[in-house]
DNA sequence: GCCAACGTTGGC
DNA sequence: GCCAACGTTGGC
């Protein structure tokens, strides 16, 4: 089993939005980065643990614990001209972009970046690295345990 | 294949 | 709004 940190802008899909969805599960639309896509396609498995992270907001940080709830499939927004995630170059017979379903298990008190940075054992957590922009990053088991206590 | 220009991310 | 960092694009 692998572990992940997945960023979402709360103005787009917050952890509360996800909890309000049927089964507390949301399709993780809008990933338009090949490395992040490849994680979903090649490495994620149903049941993998997810740190649900709010980015581009007043209080960035980890706000919930979730799990991967499906294998990857084509992200329908890439074919929707009305979507901000529309990709003219992607064809239904060869979808370029994928998504997975993410199921929120429970919220946590926001674990902010300063809180994360204060812990030396988390120094290598990818989301804390300078210049990190990847919306999906793998989380080492030791980091997962240090953050979740499980 | 190089690399400059450009667009995006995301914290602050 | 600023700006550093990074990915992508496209000319050559």
């Amino acid at each position: 089993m692998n572990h992940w940190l997945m960023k979402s802008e709360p103005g787009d899909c917050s952890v509360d939005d996800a909890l309000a969805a049927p089964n507390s599960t949301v399709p993780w639309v809008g990933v338009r980065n090949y490395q992040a896509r490849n994680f979903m396609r090649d490495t994620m498995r149903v049941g993998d643990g997810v740190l649900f992270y709010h980015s581009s907001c007043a209080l960035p940080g980890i706000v919930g614990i979730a799990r991967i709830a499906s294998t990857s499939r084509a992200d329908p927004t890439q074919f929707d001209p009305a979507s901000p995630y529309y990709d003219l170059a992607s064809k239904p017979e060869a979808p370029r972009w994928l998504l997975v379903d993410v199921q929120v298990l429970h919220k946590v008190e926001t674990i902010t970046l300063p809180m994360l940075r204060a812990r030396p054992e988390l120094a290598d957590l990818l989301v804390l690295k300078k210049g990190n922009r990847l919306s999906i990053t793998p989380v080492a088991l030791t980091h997962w345990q240090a953050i979740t206590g499980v």
Side-chain angles (χ1 to χ4, degrees):
Chain A
M1 167 150 137
N2 293 307
H3 302 85
W4 308 93
L5 182 145
M6 298 176 74
K7 296 179 187 173
S8 183
E9 299 188 15
D12 185 15
C13 178
S14 71
V15 69
D16 288 320
D17 293 336
L19 277 169
N23 247 357
S24 303
T25 301
V26 287
W28 206 261
V29 300
V31 172
R32 296 294 181 268
N33 169 282
Y34 289 104
Q35 200 177 345
R37 180 204 67 182
N38 292 348
F39 285 140
M40 293 194 286
R41 186 188 63 191
D42 302 332
T43 320
M44 278 185 178
R45 299 291 179 267
V46 172
D48 281 359
V50 175
L51 303 173
F52 196 111
Y53 179 94
H54 280 175
S55 68
S56 294
C57 59
L59 191 62
I62 295 165
V63 294
I65 306 301
R67 63 187 285 276
I68 300 299
S70 78
T71 53
S72 61
R73 64 179 182 279
D75 178 345
T77 64
Q78 70 196 301
F79 306 124
D80 177 3
S83 168
Y85 303 123
Y86 180 59
D87 183 348
L88 177 66
S90 184
K91 301 299 168 195
E93 60 272 21
R96 177 176 295 182
W97 305 113
L98 304 174
L99 59 72
V100 295
D101 288 329
V102 174
Q103 179 179 34
V104 176
L105 301 175
H106 59 88
K107 289 170 68 170
V108 297
E109 286 294 309
T110 303
I111 308 172
T112 64
L113 290 172
M115 291 165 69
L116 292 167
R117 289 190 210 283
R119 301 179 60 181
E121 69 271 30
L122 297 179
D124 292 330
L125 190 68
L126 288 174
V127 79
L128 300 182
K129 295 286 187 179
K130 190 174 176 183
N132 160 71
R133 299 188 320 171
L134 206 52
S135 65
I136 300 175
T137 49
V139 174
L141 178 59
T142 52
H143 294 155
W144 174 268
Q145 291 169 336
I147 292 167
T148 66
V150 182

